[in-house]
Amino acid sequence: MHDDIPLTTGRARRVLDERIRPAVHATATPLETAWHELPGEPIPPAEGLALTFEPYEVGTTWGAAWGTTWFRLSGTVPVEWAGRRVEAVIDLGFDINMPGFQCEGLVYLADGTPVKSINPRNQWVLVAEEAVGGAPVEFFVEAASNPVLLDYHPFLVTHEGDIQTSSSKRLYTSRRMDLAVFESEVHELALDIDVLLELQAELPEGPRRMRILQALDDALDALDLQHIAATAPDARAALADVLASPAEASAHRISAVGHAHIDSAWLWPVRETIRKVARTSSTMTELIDQTDDFLYGMSSAQQYAWIKEHRPEVYARVKDAVAAGRFLPLGGMWVESDTVMPTGESIVRQFTQGQRFFEREFGIRPKGVWLPDSFGYSPALPQLMRRAGFEWFFTQKISWNQVNKFPHHTFLWEGIDGSRVFSHFPSMDTYNSRLSGSEVAKASRQFRENRLASGSIAPVGWGDGGGGTTREMTGTAARLADLEGSARVTWEHPDVFFDRAKAELPDPPVWVGELYLELHRATLTSQHQTKQGNRRSEHLLEEAELWAATAAARTDFVYPYDELDALWQQVLLQQFHDILPGTSIAWVHREAVAKYAEVADRLEALIAAALSALVGAGDRTVVANPAPSLQSGASALGATLAADVTVAAPVALDAVDGGFVLTNDLVRVVVDARGLVTSAADRSTGREAIAPGQAANLLQLHQDFPNMWDAWDVDRYYRNRVEDLDEVTALTGSVDADGTARVVVERAFSASTLTQEITLAPGSRTLEIDQTTDWHETEKFLKVAFPLDVRAEHTIAETQFGAQKRATHTNTSWEAAKFETSMHRYVLVEEPGFGVALVNDSIHGFDTTRDAVDGHVTTTVRLSLLRAPRFPDPETDQGVQTHRFGLVIGTDIAGATTAGTLMNTASRTVTGDHGFAPLVQVSGDVVVSSVKLADDRSGDLVVRVYEPAGRRGTGSIAVDGPFGDPVEVSLLEEPLPEGSAHTSSIDAAFAVDAFEVRTFRFARS
């Protein structure tokens, strides 16, 4: 027989789109509409419902960017619709291709009860399952006119991303606000045809595909296009057999979980995310009520906290659904944070704040870390996840790699300390699945562990901007539960999936080291003030906890639990994976910088109050040192009278050949007439740090216009065009009163100006550079280069509680793809006997090259300082920016750790009567990370230490305060499980493994 597949599929697709889907709500009558446009920010629902409303005509434009319009919709159910399912159909002017990225609304009853949201893929609201003829209908819609910023031609420059610069033009035109009969058989027919069309497209030209095509033809023959609703049952009957044919016994198994992945901020501000979460949560609880087996998962304790505070009526429904086991708290973190740039303590607090919230509110502790969309994953994470009690890790983002395909979907991920966590990437390669035929087939086809394991996870729903799972998706899932030619789809809790996967893979493959995303590398640099605010907030929080704990132990100072929790939560929110990476609209980053300033002010006040209690009333100068090593003459974690501080010999500053030579007891540095560092030598050995014939502190400006994702990406070809900024407008030198030598360099380039203060302090190996840039560039990338006379096989870059090595060569595609990499406070290059480090106070990105002249190999490290992308914030980083970085001459990993810590943890002077001894003293091979009081408010002391150098060692802790013997605890500050590796007393030295994190709890006496 003749087969014309395109004729059948083309016919089915057209009938489906142009006749069947419109017939779902074909019987309709308009609702009476009225509106009230708010002049400013959103108002609480109770106030919105009480507004005065003016008549509104459908088809009228509404909604300026970021505005809110309240609509009142009213009507009466026609008598002839009695007993039918009746729905309101509301089209605010939607583009169905942009759910979550344009206008949306939350529907309320007149008494304030939230019903569900409406968005481009979810335009209906249930009126009644069995309507009563003549019954009145009244809904209120809180409609948000969010502008479309990521359009069909993405990454276009726009000023709509900030309420301060957006247009007042109305953006949307409503199309429909009707009461309509819901034709359930027509809806089901649409799903039948859609599922079969998509399934057959993935099948080979064999019997199964041919029979599906014949069934589609038979169904369409049975369908009267002028009487769709009346003949839909006949059409469905023609499809019944092919839909009833069961899946193969070996079919891939997809564990579906409803999902919306609501970015806590991105192309919308935080205030809009609060409403997005409420909208999506209301719709998901409604869908749970309408189905028997659907499960919806939502991460981020912050998002639950927002609903609780701002939409308690929605939160009540969420709590009920959680108790029923249908609404699943996932992830155990405060937000789905970036995991590359935050400190180790920040990651710990993401876990502790998240798990405390979920347990307090729901009696639940999520078992896994759910991070589908962060931009790469630190190799420190496996240890932290395991020590926080997590059993599994889930992500998807590595499937976005530009060059190398990740070799596993279910595997063990091994971190820098050797800890391993069971991990899964969905083989569907998306966290916004709609269970399409192509997605389901892809999940089965490319699952890397098919030989041994049975399935994968599919997060199902419209996401990024929210929306979640639709009834079309649950209908699709029902058809794919057991369908020949398809993977089997089951709604399933991720915990159940991971338990089964562990049983199927008792010896899974292992991936060692970072999960580096071969994309979005520029997120280490974009929006510098946001990153700077985060780094400073992190260190101030740790300092405030230290001094508050010390004061609470020794004086009547009251430990500020509530305020510290609130400040941590604010900083943790800003670590969300589209805020800290610098990829959000201008509004988001403007607010983030303001929040960081507020956090700093409040922490400075807490620190001042705690230190005042500790040093007493008096007029003597006291130096307080929050760093875990000696600084400014003050002991680690304690305070010393300034009069007792020993001062080293001043630095010599000599003018030579238009430049300067800076010399102290340890190093000698030459700054030439261009303001470049041409020599940096260790005086004890004479070893030179700067590569022969090269100059360090060389600022370089690149053209920076990636193929797409402007704020996110830097593409390799940016290196092909570079301008060296080596001209000076002024060069001066001086010696400060404390003996520090200072060289000031001023430069002008393009539309920008820049000043550097190059300093060398007495007794220091670190040449420090304080840089202020008045930045007015467009699509440029500013780097500072340090060509180092070190033959390094690897760079060693600080990460959370340790460091990671990366090859300096590009032998393989995996190494070549890492042309921009991350660090925390230092990056070190070393060869046997000599090392050089670059330290910083707010820089996260760097690149490395190996250079050779006549067989002499050197290593160039460049720090990434500023970018100027135009999307999504067209004014990214414009204006005054500050950086502080330093060259540590002759050091190793321990010295780099200390130098980096001191650059970020300055001593401070206060006025009082006396200094004080440290509450905690640590010795041996460990470093203090945190000194605080326990989260449970028992008054117990918690001390966290870690081994920073990557080698086995020993450590000891002494506490000078009213505390008893220590007990080792988890990161959640709870006793370790029986059989844990380290549970012994620390009365004497205790053993530590490489990069190991240990947390000890001392009971209050």
Side-chain angles (χ1 to χ4, degrees), residues 182 228 236 444 528 601 664 690 897 921:
F182 174 69
I228 298 287
R236 294 198 69 205
S444 178
H528 174 67
D601 287 345
N664 68 13
I690 308 303
T897 300
Q921 289 183 296

Side-chain angles (χ1 to χ4, degrees), residues 569-851:
Q569 289 169 11
Q570 182 62 58
V571 172
L572 297 177
L573 167 60
Q574 311 294 1
Q575 291 171 352
F576 177 74
H577 64 252
D578 274 309
I579 303 179
L580 182 54
T583 52
S584 290
I585 56 175
W587 191 347
V588 172
H589 291 290
R590 172 172 56 82
E591 288 190 337
V593 171
K595 288 293 185 183
Y596 287 131
E598 178 186 327
V599 166
D601 287 345
R602 291 170 64 183
L603 287 171
E604 290 289 355
L606 284 179
I607 289 168
L611 286 175
S612 177
L614 284 164
V615 300
D619 58 1
R620 295 196 286 181
T621 301
V622 181
V623 180
N625 175 20
S629 56
L630 184 69
Q631 180 179 207
S632 303
S635 58
L637 314 181
T640 304
L641 288 171
D644 297 334
V645 171
T646 301
V647 180
V651 178
L653 179 69
D654 300 303
V656 178
D657 297 331
F660 296 93
V661 178
L662 298 77
T663 309
N664 68 13
D665 293 341
L666 300 176
V667 297
R668 178 181 182 273
V669 176
V670 177
V671 179
D672 72 4
R674 300 169 298 170
L676 305 180
V677 178
T678 56
S679 175
D682 183 322
R683 292 189 66 191
S684 66
T685 63
R687 177 62 193 266
E688 177 62 61
I690 308 303
Q694 301 293 307
N697 189 36
L698 174 62
L699 292 156
Q700 296 183 306
L701 192 65
H702 293 272
Q703 187 168 281
D704 180 23
F705 188 63
N707 287 356
M708 58 192 302
W709 298 108
D710 297 40
W712 293 255
D713 283 359
V714 56
D715 291 330
R716 176 181 291 280
Y717 56 74
Y718 87 92
R719 292 182 173 182
N720 298 343
R721 185 181 180 89
V722 61
E723 177 186 357
D724 290 346
L725 306 179
D726 56 4
E727 296 185 3
V728 299
T729 56
L731 183 72
T732 59
S734 61
V735 178
D736 297 346
D738 65 356
T740 297
R742 183 178 307 274
V743 176
V744 178
V745 185
E746 297 180 22
R747 304 186 191 277
F749 58 94
S750 185
S752 305
T753 58
L754 181 150
T755 300
Q756 289 184 330
E757 295 188 3
I758 304 171
T759 59
L760 181 65
S764 175
R765 288 188 174 275
T766 303
L767 181 73
E768 294 189 6
I769 301 169
D770 285 273
Q771 179 171 308
T772 300
T773 310
D774 192 3
W775 178 250
H776 297 283
E777 305 303 306
T778 299
E779 294 162 354
K780 296 292 177 69
F781 195 1
L782 182 64
K783 295 244 181 184
V784 60
F786 290 83
L788 303 173
D789 193 11
V790 178
R791 180 172 179 160
E793 299 302 318
H794 300 86
T795 59
I796 303 172
E798 187 183 41
T799 187
Q800 295 95 348
F801 299 122
Q804 57 183 312
K805 288 185 176 181
R806 300 185 182 96
T808 56
H809 59 75
T810 55
N811 285 357
T812 71
S813 60
W814 293 88
E815 291 145 355
K818 296 181 180 180
F819 60 83
E820 182 79 4
T821 50
S822 67
M823 64 177 170
H824 281 199
R825 296 171 296 192
Y826 73 81
V827 56
L828 168 71
V829 293
E830 62 178 351
E831 60 184 52
F834 186 75
V836 180
L838 293 170
V839 294
N840 73 86
D841 79 334
S842 56
I843 298 167
H844 296 87
F846 73 97
D847 70 77
T848 311
T849 53
R850 286 169 67 91
D851 306 294

Side-chain angles (χ1 to χ4, degrees), residues 524-551:
L524 299 170
T525 306
S526 299
Q527 296 287 0
H528 174 67
Q529 286 186 335
T530 298
K531 294 172 170 59
Q532 188 175 63
N534 175 72
R535 177 79 70 83
R536 292 177 178 175
S537 297
E538 290 174 320
H539 285 85
L540 282 174
L541 278 161
E542 293 172 26
E543 182 181 359
E545 288 179 334
L546 166 68
W547 298 139
T550 306

Side-chain angles (χ1 to χ4, degrees), residues 250-254 427 440 443-444 447 450 453-456 486-489:
S250 60
H252 186 76
R253 180 172 181 172
I254 293 177
S427 52
V440 171
S444 178
F447 182 56
N450 264 327
S454 63
S456 59
S486 171
R488 287 188 174 93
V489 176

Side-chain angles (χ1 to χ4, degrees), residues 953-990:
T954 59
S956 62
I957 303 173
V959 174
D960 181 11
F963 300 98
D965 292 335
V967 175
E968 184 163 14
V969 292
S970 70
L971 296 181
L972 302 185
E973 303 177 3
E974 297 172 342
L976 297 179
E978 289 295 327
S980 295
H982 299 291
T983 57
S984 60
S985 169
I986 59 165
D987 293 337
F990 54 89

Side-chain angles (χ1 to χ4, degrees), residues 235-254:
R236 294 198 69 205
L239 300 174
D241 286 346
V242 291
L243 285 168
S245 183
E248 297 87 346
S250 60
H252 186 76
R253 180 172 181 172
I254 293 177

